Amino acid sequence: MESAYGMPAPIANAWALVRTKDPVPIATAVREQRLVWIADREHLARSFPGAAIAVPYHFSIALAPVCVGELAWGGFMLVWPAGRFTEPTPRQLDVLSKTCAEIGEVLRCAAERGQPINPAPRPRILVPPSASGNPSADMVALDNLNRLPEGYCSLDTEGRVTLISAPAADLLGHPRDLVGRRLWEALLWLSDPAYEDRYRAAIVGGQVTHFIARNPAGRQLSFWMYPGLSGITLRVTSGTMSREPRSCPTARQSRPLRLIAVHETLQLATTLARAVTAQDVVDLVADHVIPVYDAQALALITVEGGRLRVSGSRGYSREVIDELEGRVPAAPVSADLIRRGRTGFFSTWEEMRQAYPDAVRGSMQAWAFLPLVTSGRPIGTCVLGYDHPHTFGAEERASLTALAGLIAQAFERARLYDTKHQLAKCLQSSLLPHTLPRVPGLDVAARYVPATPGMDIGGDFYDLIRLNDSMVAAVIGDVQGHDMTAAALMGQVRTAVRAHAAAGASPGKVLAHTNRLLTELAPDRFTSCLYVSLDLRRRVACLASAGHLPPVLGMPGGPARVIETSPGLLLGVDADAEYATTNMRLPPGSVLALYTDGLIEEPGLPLDEAIDRLARRFNPSCGLPLLELADSLIEPATLDKRSDDIAVLLLREALT
């Protein structure tokens, strides 16, 4: 967020950094380059539950992308009190569209001048101008308010007192030096977050809110908040009598923790549930914690092999990271606190140096060390760094300690996933051919793309087998399932196919022999497979298919065509299954494409249509390297989250 108008800084700071892939309204508007309209809190909770937890107030919101050409460079947001209208009017939409276009033009011109407009680390809060701008008029207004029996107080969008009447000061039991201070910070008996929540609800939702509190003398007071563009008018009356609408919400008692921290804790909890890898945890924690707690740096540190290891960081220099990772963990503060599973808060460098003389300072001047403990075992520490001396109050310490528990659970889960995923990746890559044999007269390119991180291991495989000086066999297949068993079975299928091919079996017999083996090894797992025998001298191919997708033959300068095969049963279904063969000629310059279903499958798209789409965009040009052609085929399938692997094998007569 670059700037905000009519919004308290704590709320704006919570959205200082929003990733374009986050499930929040503004990110959706920018990412999808469309208007996003949220009518009310129920609509927000339905569409963006994480955002509803962070800002649980009644408001309507319109969000639009700021585009420069075909690219979105930012977003624009307008907020109304909920219920003002069901959707923006055409005139409002027109103004919003023109405003975004003008902002985009300003950004474009600045970029072309070599002076791009970059957002600051913290949002710039634009303060509404004074209603009168005349100090004497303000004194007249205050004099008028002093004549009324009820107390009145004016708060700006930050909750600071800008004007207070004498009756209000008397009811609050405090002298008039409240001006310039936040009410709930100056008056300890109003420090309950429920009261601050009523203020935020009035500011964000634009609705009159109400709460009841008791001053230190035991006197019960009613507080009514009337929102406006420049802040809040607070009416204070003695007792609980109310002449206001019954629908006005009344504050309830709550724990004495700053409400913005409560909301951020809940939002971070829902956000971390999406984290898959350790780097995801680092990025999400940095994005959500650094702006809210006014920190400038963050690092997740563990101990591995007797030394410190920085698992991820944001805001620390490379020199500081290298120095930390090179140390034996007996000296630095991180290692000591990790070993004991303790928190550490150091407001200044002097405090840090006094406790740990060998600590690494870097450019920071204050630190919070938060233990990452799971199942009673310390696994690391989360370090927040501040580039200025920072006093940690009791509420902030409690809030940060609570955050540490969430971070620890997500980090441990991510580390376990990283280990499992790396093991699966190594297993699968070891079962696929590292290199394909060089065959005179034949160009070959193969590509394998694993499923999107977060998915399990797949069973896609390919192979190229040199049979003699002029004969080769190409194989591609897909084992049912996405687990270790699928990967192991894939290795057995490759081995069986190679053994029968080397023995001189025909394509149909290779599949038949492999099928009989699989029915014994894994009767509950099935495998699709396409086996192609190529005679390079005669330019003839013989194909046999066990329920696999048909190959596509691409012609330079002409349309590609789908090769019709006579597919038999999947391998592993029936031990006595037989497999028919199909013979075809390979025209000069043609490219034969073998692939698995991850390349073409789309939700709701019939398989035949998906194969036809592939054929329509398969247009190999003369002289185009096969690897580039393979990349062009795979690229469209890798743009979105995939639940299946992709394997592609391309074959072409070698260019002379």
Side-chain angles (χ1 to χ4, degrees):
M1 181 182 290
E2 165 57 20
S3 59
Y5 182 82
M7 181 180 293
I11 293 181
N13 290 339
W15 300 92
L17 183 63
V18 178
R19 303 196 302 177
T20 55
K21 62 181 180 181
D22 281 351
V24 296
I26 187 62
T28 301
V30 172
R31 183 175 62 249
E32 300 180 4
Q33 295 191 22
R34 64 178 178 88
L35 174 76
V36 173
W37 166 250
I38 303 296
D40 51 33
R41 186 168 66 174
E42 182 180 349
H43 186 183
L44 181 66
R46 231 178 16 246
S47 304
F48 303 96
I53 290 175
V55 190
Y57 305 121
H58 295 278
F59 60 89
S60 302
I61 185 171
L63 310 103
V66 174
C67 295
V68 178
E70 296 183 354
L71 298 177
W73 283 26
F76 190 77
M77 178 173 68
L78 289 175
V79 181
W80 294 269
R84 180 74 61 85
F85 41 80
T86 56
E87 60 183 16
T89 65
R91 180 177 178 276
Q92 289 170 329
L93 292 176
D94 183 58
V95 171
L96 181 58
S97 176
K98 289 180 178 179
T99 301
C100 290
E102 291 174 0
I103 296 174
E105 182 64 17
V106 171
L107 295 175
R108 184 190 64 79
C109 291
E112 289 180 351
R113 291 195 306 268
Q115 299 175 334
I117 301 174
N118 297 315
R122 315 290 291 181
R124 184 164 51 103
I125 306 301
L126 305 178
V127 180
S130 172
S132 65
N134 186 343
S136 61
D138 291 341
M139 292 305 299
V140 171
L142 181 60
D143 187 48
N144 286 328
L145 292 176
N146 286 338
R147 300 168 190 163
L148 300 175
E150 299 174 330
Y152 288 91
C153 180
S154 178
L155 309 178
D156 65 13
T157 55
E158 296 293 329
R160 291 185 292 258
V161 177
T162 59
L163 183 146
I164 184 170
S165 68
D170 292 339
L171 287 170
L172 296 176
H174 203 278
R176 299 188 187 184
D177 62 357
L178 289 173
V179 174
R181 304 170 66 187
R182 290 185 176 87
L183 204 59
W184 42 84
E185 292 177 355
L187 303 176
L188 296 181
W189 54 280
L190 284 180
S191 63
D192 192 300
Y195 305 152
E196 183 183 353
D197 179 51
R198 295 299 84 208
Y199 167 78
R200 295 183 187 280
I203 282 287
V204 177
Q207 296 179 329
V208 177
T209 60
H210 171 238
F211 66 87
I212 297 172
R214 196 178 293 275
N215 67 13
R219 191 176 185 181
Q220 199 169 42
L221 303 176
S222 286
F223 293 80
W224 292 92
M225 295 186 175
Y226 301 86
L229 189 60
S230 60
I232 294 287
T233 296
L234 177 68
R235 179 166 70 96
V236 186
T237 61
S238 179
T240 61
M241 289 184 59
S242 169
R243 296 189 298 272
E244 303 300 332
R246 295 182 179 179
S247 60
C248 219
T250 300
R252 296 179 181 179
Q253 294 297 320
S254 181
R255 293 171 56 190
L257 183 64
R258 280 305 210 236
L259 206 61
I260 189 65
V262 174
H263 294 161
E264 278 303 307
T265 301
L266 292 173
Q267 186 187 23
L268 182 62
T270 58
T271 302
L272 285 176
R274 308 194 316 267
V276 175
T277 66
Q279 189 58 49
D280 285 344
V281 175
V282 172
D283 291 341
L284 291 170
V285 171
D287 290 348
H288 287 268
V289 173
I290 285 180
V292 173
Y293 292 93
D294 196 26
Q296 284 69 50
L298 178 144
L300 292 182
I301 300 176
T302 59
V303 176
E304 295 182 9
R307 291 186 177 275
L308 291 177
R309 179 177 180 272
V310 180
S311 298
S313 68
R314 177 81 64 82
Y316 282 106
S317 66
R318 185 68 257 175
E319 292 75 17
V320 172
I321 299 301
D322 291 342
E323 185 173 356
L324 277 174
E325 290 198 324
R327 288 196 167 201
V328 177
V333 55
S334 301
D336 182 49
L337 294 175
I338 290 174
R339 184 170 55 251
R340 294 188 295 161
R342 297 276 301 277
T343 57
F345 297 97
F346 303 94
S347 299
T348 63
W349 168 241
E350 287 69 27
E351 286 187 17
M352 170 82 86
R353 185 173 55 184
Q354 183 176 2
Y356 297 93
D358 295 329
V360 177
R361 179 177 186 178
S363 59
M364 299 295 116
Q365 298 187 43
W367 298 263
F369 291 82
L370 311 176
L372 305 180
V373 180
T374 60
S375 303
R377 178 176 58 89
I379 61 172
T381 186
C382 174
V383 184
L384 287 177
Y386 300 78
D387 63 4
H388 54 277
H390 182 87
T391 301
F392 297 93
E395 291 178 348
E396 187 174 12
R397 293 182 183 220
S399 177
L400 288 172
T401 303
L403 285 176
L406 296 175
I407 298 169
Q409 294 175 21
F411 187 58
E412 178 69 357
R413 185 176 65 249
R415 287 207 310 171
L416 292 174
Y417 170 80
D418 282 343
T419 301
K420 175 186 174 182
H421 185 69
Q422 187 61 32
L423 176 62
K425 184 178 178 181
C426 290
L427 172 61
Q428 188 157 25
S429 62
S430 66
L431 294 175
L432 290 172
H434 297 289
T435 58
L436 295 176
R438 293 182 176 273
V439 179
L442 184 68
D443 283 341
V444 182
R447 284 294 309 274
Y448 171 79
V449 181
T452 302
M455 307 300 178
D456 292 322
I457 189 172
D460 291 15
F461 67 94
Y462 61 86
D463 206 351
L464 186 70
I465 308 165
R466 187 169 181 176
L467 302 177
N468 57 44
D469 291 342
S470 62
M471 296 284 294
V472 295
V475 188
I476 196 162
D478 186 359
V479 178
Q480 179 189 27
H482 293 81
D483 51 24
M484 296 290 190
T485 302
L489 188 58
M490 175 259 284
Q492 293 173 318
V493 172
R494 275 193 63 220
T495 301
V497 169
R498 273 186 163 269
H500 295 303
S506 65
K509 292 299 183 182
V510 168
L511 294 185
H513 294 323
T514 305
N515 172 60
R516 279 194 288 272
L517 175 65
L518 289 189
T519 54
E520 298 175 2
L521 291 176
D524 58 338
R525 294 286 181 120
F526 309 129
T527 302
S528 71
C529 185
L530 178 65
Y531 183 96
V532 182
S533 175
L534 296 173
D535 187 330
L536 301 178
R537 289 179 182 170
R538 298 170 52 210
R539 291 179 180 165
V540 173
C542 182
L543 299 79
S545 174
H548 198 78
L549 301 171
V552 175
L553 185 66
M555 302 294 296
R561 63 188 180 93
V562 179
I563 305 302
E564 298 297 335
T565 62
S566 300
L569 293 175
L570 295 171
L571 302 179
V573 175
D574 181 2
D576 298 323
E578 296 183 355
Y579 299 90
T581 58
T582 301
N583 295 308
M584 60 174 290
R585 297 195 63 83
L586 299 176
S590 61
V591 179
L592 188 64
L594 315 183
Y595 54 94
T596 57
D597 53 8
L599 180 67
I600 62 168
E601 283 189 341
E602 296 181 23
L605 184 67
L607 188 59
D608 291 345
E609 186 175 340
I611 296 173
D612 289 340
R613 280 191 182 183
L614 174 64
R616 286 195 295 271
R617 63 185 176 89
F618 185 46
N619 184 23
S621 303
C622 291
L624 181 68
L626 283 190
L627 277 177
E628 293 184 17
L629 180 59
D631 288 338
S632 68
L633 286 178
I634 288 175
E635 183 178 5
T638 59
L639 296 178
D640 299 317
K641 190 177 181 71
R642 304 180 318 283
S643 60
D644 206 354
D645 300 354
I646 299 172
V648 173
L649 183 61
L650 303 182
L651 306 105
R652 177 177 63 191
E653 180 184 10
L655 300 175
T656 56

